[in-house]
Amino acid sequence: MTAKEVAEWDSLGHIRLMVAIEQALGIKFTTSEISNLANVGELVTVIDKKL
Amino acid sequence: MHAAGYSLDNNQLHSLAKAYAKITSNQHRPLGLTPIRLGILSNATVDLLVPAIIASGLRYGLAIETIVPPFGQAVQAVTDQNSDLWSGRPDVVLLMLDHRGLGLHDSASPDRAIATMAQLRQGIASHGAVPAIVQTVSRPPEMLLGSFDFVSSGSVRGSVHDFNAHLRQVIPGSSDIIFDVAGLAETVGLAQWHDPVAWHMAKLPFSQKFVPLYADALTRLLGAVRGKTRKCLVLDLDNTLWGGVIGDDGIDGIKLGQGDSLGEAHLAVQRHALALSKRGIILAVCSKNDDQIARQPFHDHPDMVLREEHIAVFQANWVDKATNIRAIAKMLNIGTDALVFLDDNPTERHIVRRELPEVAVPEVPDDPALFPLFLSMAGYFDAVTFSADDEKRTEFYKTQAQRLALQESTSDLEGYLESLDMTLHLAPFDKIGRPRITQLINKSNQFNLTTRRYTEAEVAVIEDDPSALTLQARLVDCFGDNGMISVIICRKENGSWNIDTWLMSCRVLGRRVEQAMLQFLSQQLKERGATELLGCFIPTKRNGLVKDHYPNLGFDLVSAGNDGATHWRLDLTKHRPYNAPIRIAAEAGKFTSHN
C-alpha cells in the first residue's frame, strides 16, 4: 500500500505516523528513511532492521 | 511530565480534539466553556500542534479557537490590517518564534531579534487590548567552543541568552505575557527538546513527544489570562507536612527538619508552601486528626517552617475530607474549582476527586522529596501578573487558622466505600504476624480503646491461650494492600467474653472496618455459645477519638468509673448485622474453638 492510495493522506499524516511508530517501539528513524519510504512494505523492512 | 495524572499522549489529544469538534458542530449550545480566540504566528509548522492545544484547553475549561496565518508570514500578518489574523479578531496572539524564526541562529548579536520582537509587539498592541504571548527562546544544544560560547560575543547560545535577558526587562509592566518555553525545554533537557530530524523534515519546532507538554503549559497560561488560576492550596498534615503520624508518634517522633533525609524532604514541602503563600496563594489545612494534637507542631516543633499565622483555615477532625474542603471554599468565599489539594494518601485523593472533580488533586509519588516538583510541574498557580494586591491577599485571609463548624456530611460515603472494593483478611494471632502485632499494640495511641501494652513474649503467650480469641486484620483495597491495620484481643473471664484490646490504624478510619470486624467477632463468639460481649473504654490524653466507639456500635452502658473509664455490653442475641461494604476473607479452620 502507498500513500497515494489513502484518501486525505498528506505529509503531516506521514510525520504523525512516523512519530507514533517511534514512540510506540522506542526506535528512531533517520532523515533519509523518513523521506524515502515508498510503501508500507518498505516501512516494515526498516522497522524490522531496528528491532 | 504531566504531574496531575490522566495525561494524554499526542494521538489521544488528536482524538479528543476530533471528538470535541464533532460535539461543537452538532450542537450550538455552549458547553459551559470559556471561549478564547488565539492567533498563532510562527516560523514553524503548527498544524500538528493546533489539535493538541484545542484538546488541552478543555482541561482548563477553555473553548479555544485558533487563527493561523500562512506559514512564515509573522510580520506581514501583524502589519497588514486586512490579514487573516486580524479579520479573525483574536483575543490574544501567540508569537511562537524560536532561535531560527528570530534569526538568532545565524547572527552575531541579538539586536536584530530584539528589534523584530519590538516591531511585532508594537504591531499587535496597536490593535487595542490584544496582548501578545512572547516566548523565551530555548538554547540550541549545539555548541562551537563549548562552555566558552556562553561568554563569547557572537555565539548563538550567547545571543539567545541575551535575548531572553532582554525579555526580562521589557515584558514586566507591559500588557504582554511571557511564556517561558526555554524553561520548559530545560526541564526536559535541550538535547531531548530539539529534534533536528523533525525540523529538517517538516519544520516541526521541537520534538513531537513534547507537544502535549507544550500544549498543556500554553493552555494553562491562557487559563490564567481568563482568570482560571487556582487560589488556595489545601494541605494534609501526617506524611505530607511531616513524616509520621502526630497522634501516634507524638511531637518527638514525627520526622521533620535537618539531620534526617525524610525530615528534610518534608521541610522542603513546607518551604514550597510558604513560598506560594508569599506569592498570594492562600494556605489551608485539612487533616484527619484531633484539632489540638494537629496544632501542636505548629506551636511547639522547632523545625516547623509553617506556623498557624500562615494558615487561613485549619480543619483537623475526623469528618471526610470532601466535606471539609467544601467548608474551606465557602469560608474563603472562593469556588471549589480554585482549590488544590495535596495529600500523600491515595484513598483521600480518590474521595476528593470523586466528590469534587473540580478540585485539582496532584497524583504525587510516594516519596515526599518529589512533592514540590510534582506540585509545581502541574502549574496550578500559573500567573500572568503579580500585583501588590496578590501579595496582600494572604494578609486579607489571615484569620489565625480558623476552625470551621461543619454542616452534616453531604458526601456520598457509601458509594465511595463501595468503590474502594475492600477485602478484610482476618486471622488469629500467629508467629508471622507477631512482630507487627506487638508494634501496633505498643505504638497505637489514637484508635486504642484500652491502651494496654504487651511485649512480644506476652503476645506469644496470648497466641496459645485457649481462653483468648484474637484477630489480626489486613485491609486490601483498590489501591493495594494497607498491611495489618487492626488488632483485637478478646478474653473469656468468669464465663463472659471481654474485649481486652481493640486498636486500629487511623489510616483506615471511616471505612467501617470496625463494624466488619465486630460482625465477624460476634459470629465467632456465637459459635462458641456466647450471648454477650463486654468492652471498656479507658481514656488517655490521645484516644478521645474512640470515646463513643462502643455506643456507636450498639453497645449499652453498664457502668462508668470515677477515672472516666466506661464499661459496655453488647447483647449478641439481639444484635443485628452491620452490612459494612467490606468482603471478609478468613479461613474458618484457623478459628477453631477451644471451648
Side-chain angles (χ1 to χ4, degrees):
Chain A
M1 190 196 280
T2 68
K4 280 187 192 131
E5 295 165 33
V6 181
E8 292 179 49
W9 191 259
D10 59 9
S11 59
L12 288 175
H14 181 59
I15 297 291
R16 273 188 66 197
L17 178 62
M18 294 294 111
V19 170
I21 293 171
E22 284 184 340
Q23 287 186 15
L25 301 179
I27 57 175
K28 195 85 185 138
F29 295 114
T30 67
T31 305
S32 65
E33 282 164 350
I34 297 176
S35 13
N36 296 333
L37 289 175
N39 53 49
V40 176
E42 282 189 25
L43 175 59
V44 172
T45 312
V46 169
I47 292 172
D48 272 343
K49 264 193 281 177
K50 290 175 188 286
L51 291 177
Chain B
M1 275 308 210
H2 275 279
Y6 311 112
S7 67
L8 299 176
D9 70 20
N10 218 339
N11 288 325
Q12 290 169 314
L13 286 171
H14 273 75
S15 305
L16 178 57
K18 261 191 198 163
Y20 169 67
K22 212 169 166 186
I23 293 168
T24 44
S25 67
N26 286 346
Q27 77 174 60
H28 298 285
R29 271 186 317 118
L31 297 166
L33 301 168
T34 308
I36 187 163
R37 277 192 305 277
L38 172 70
I40 303 177
L41 301 181
S42 179
N43 62 296
T45 307
V46 298
D47 306 58
L48 294 181
L49 262 172
V50 167
I53 291 171
I54 290 169
S56 299
L58 299 173
R59 195 188 280 267
Y60 300 97
L62 297 171
I64 300 174
E65 259 181 71
T66 55
I67 307 151
V68 186
F71 177 78
Q73 295 182 14
V75 177
Q76 296 91 316
V78 168
T79 49
D80 177 2
Q81 303 303 315
N82 301 314
S83 67
D84 292 349
L85 174 66
W86 296 121
S87 56
R89 291 175 297 110
D91 297 309
V92 52
V93 175
L94 170 67
L95 295 171
M96 188 187 176
L97 303 169
D98 63 12
H99 59 297
R100 294 161 295 222
L102 288 161
L104 285 162
H105 63 309
D106 62 355
S107 162
S109 94
D111 296 348
R112 200 177 78 195
I114 288 171
T116 305
M117 183 53 72
Q119 190 190 358
L120 288 169
R121 290 178 57 212
Q122 214 172 5
I124 293 166
S126 68
H127 278 264
V130 179
I133 297 179
V134 178
Q135 297 193 161
T136 54
V137 175
S138 71
R139 297 194 296 174
E142 297 87 359
M143 293 179 281
L144 294 176
L145 305 177
S147 294
F148 187 68
D149 279 7
F150 186 76
V151 289
S152 82
S153 62
S155 76
V156 174
R157 286 165 65 92
S159 292
V160 169
H161 183 84
D162 289 346
F163 176 82
N164 288 338
H166 178 74
L167 292 181
R168 256 181 85 81
Q169 304 300 317
V170 296
I171 298 292
S174 77
S175 57
D176 292 341
I177 296 154
I178 194 76
F179 181 19
D180 189 11
V181 172
L184 211 56
E186 283 161 19
T187 304
V188 298
L190 290 177
Q192 298 283 316
W193 178 265
H194 291 281
D195 184 345
V197 178
W199 172 254
H200 297 313
M201 184 59 46
K203 296 291 171 283
L204 300 175
F206 47 82
S207 170
Q208 285 295 289
K209 66 177 170 214
F210 297 122
V211 164
L213 181 71
Y214 177 93
D216 190 65
L218 173 64
T219 51
R220 217 155 65 204
L221 202 58
L222 295 174
V225 170
R226 283 288 187 248
K228 289 179 185 287
T229 303
R230 307 266 169 178
K231 298 186 181 73
C232 172
L233 175 61
V234 181
L235 296 157
D236 168 53
L237 296 179
D238 292 332
N239 290 316
T240 298
L241 287 194
W242 52 70
V245 177
I246 182 67
D248 287 330
D249 299 324
I251 195 152
D252 306 324
I254 57 171
K255 298 247 191 281
L256 178 66
Q258 305 296 336
D260 176 273
S261 56
L262 192 60
E264 289 188 27
H266 286 287
L267 193 62
V269 176
Q270 292 202 15
R271 288 220 170 93
H272 190 79
L274 183 63
L276 283 170
S277 155
K278 287 185 176 155
R279 290 274 154 170
I281 308 303
I282 309 159
L283 301 183
V285 160
C286 180
S287 166
K288 284 196 171 157
N289 257 311
D290 275 339
D291 185 78
Q292 284 198 324
I293 293 171
R295 285 174 193 256
Q296 213 187 347
F298 287 81
H299 305 145
D300 301 334
H301 200 293
D303 291 313
M304 283 290 287
V305 168
L306 288 175
R307 297 279 157 184
E308 278 185 301
E309 71 208 49
H310 303 121
I311 310 292
V313 184
F314 196 108
Q315 292 301 94
N317 54 51
W318 301 99
V319 178
D320 73 282
K321 294 203 173 187
T323 301
N324 275 294
I325 285 172
R326 275 195 204 99
I328 289 169
K330 202 172 165 198
M331 149 68 209
L332 295 173
N333 202 18
I334 56 180
T336 39
D337 60 359
L339 301 179
V340 176
F341 173 57
L342 180 65
D343 197 313
D344 67 292
N345 186 335
T347 52
E348 299 295 359
R349 299 198 292 265
H350 175 65
I351 188 174
V352 172
R353 284 203 192 106
R354 201 187 134 90
E355 292 297 315
L356 302 166
E358 68 278 16
V359 173
V361 185
E363 187 60 20
V364 288
D366 290 341
D367 190 340
L370 299 172
F371 287 4
L373 176 68
F374 273 66
L375 183 61
S376 72
M377 281 298 289
Y380 301 118
F381 306 111
D382 278 16
V384 289
T385 56
F386 179 65
S387 66
D389 282 350
D390 294 321
E391 210 166 351
K392 284 196 189 115
R393 188 185 301 137
T394 39
E395 291 282 319
F396 175 72
Y397 280 111
K398 198 195 284 175
T399 47
Q400 296 299 336
Q402 189 173 337
R403 181 181 175 181
L404 307 176
L406 294 170
Q407 305 293 320
E408 189 68 11
S409 161
T410 47
S411 298
D412 171 24
L413 278 177
E414 281 305 303
Y416 160 68
L417 292 176
E418 295 279 356
S419 77
L420 286 177
D421 191 23
M422 291 181 280
T423 305
L424 192 64
H425 295 266
L426 296 174
F429 287 7
D430 55 21
K431 201 176 170 191
I432 299 170
R434 201 186 299 156
R436 174 66 179 154
I437 291 166
T438 311
Q439 188 189 35
L440 281 172
I441 284 175
N442 288 288
K443 200 184 139 190
S444 301
N445 291 314
Q446 299 191 95
F447 195 114
N448 195 336
L449 273 301
T450 53
T451 322
R452 292 187 180 122
R453 312 297 196 191
Y454 296 116
T455 64
E456 200 161 327
E458 287 170 316
V459 172
V461 171
I462 299 168
E463 261 169 47
D464 297 326
D465 184 349
S467 67
L469 200 165
T470 57
L471 282 183
Q472 52 173 321
R474 173 183 293 273
L475 184 69
V476 177
D477 61 27
C478 63
F479 295 103
D481 190 344
N482 292 279
M484 194 190 297
I485 43 86
S486 187
V487 165
I488 290 180
I489 300 170
C490 210
R491 293 178 193 270
K492 194 172 184 186
E493 291 162 345
N494 307 324
S496 300
W497 287 94
N498 195 346
I499 300 171
D500 172 275
T501 294
W502 191 345
L503 57 86
M504 191 175 82
S505 160
C506 287
R507 275 172 59 85
V508 298
L509 205 75
R511 305 250 206 121
R512 301 181 62 190
V513 169
E514 325 68 299
Q515 297 185 357
M517 287 186 75
L518 180 58
Q519 184 64 41
F520 182 83
L521 178 65
S522 41
Q523 259 167 24
Q524 290 298 317
L525 293 175
K526 277 191 220 170
E527 284 171 21
R528 287 162 171 75
T531 54
E532 63 170 12
L533 174 61
L534 305 177
C536 84
F537 165 71
I538 304 173
T540 67
K541 271 185 192 162
R542 293 212 184 138
N543 72 352
L545 170 66
V546 287
K547 185 164 64 75
D548 296 323
H549 173 71
Y550 285 123
N552 287 344
L553 288 169
F555 283 64
D556 299 313
L557 186 66
V558 176
S559 66
N562 291 333
D563 53 357
T566 48
H567 297 268
W568 303 85
R569 177 182 177 275
L570 184 70
D571 186 340
L572 293 175
T573 58
K574 292 181 186 160
H575 160 62
R576 279 190 305 231
Y578 298 107
N579 298 322
I582 302 176
R583 238 175 291 126
I584 298 285
E587 286 174 47
K590 284 190 180 171
F591 290 92
T592 45
S593 171
H594 295 285
N595 304 74

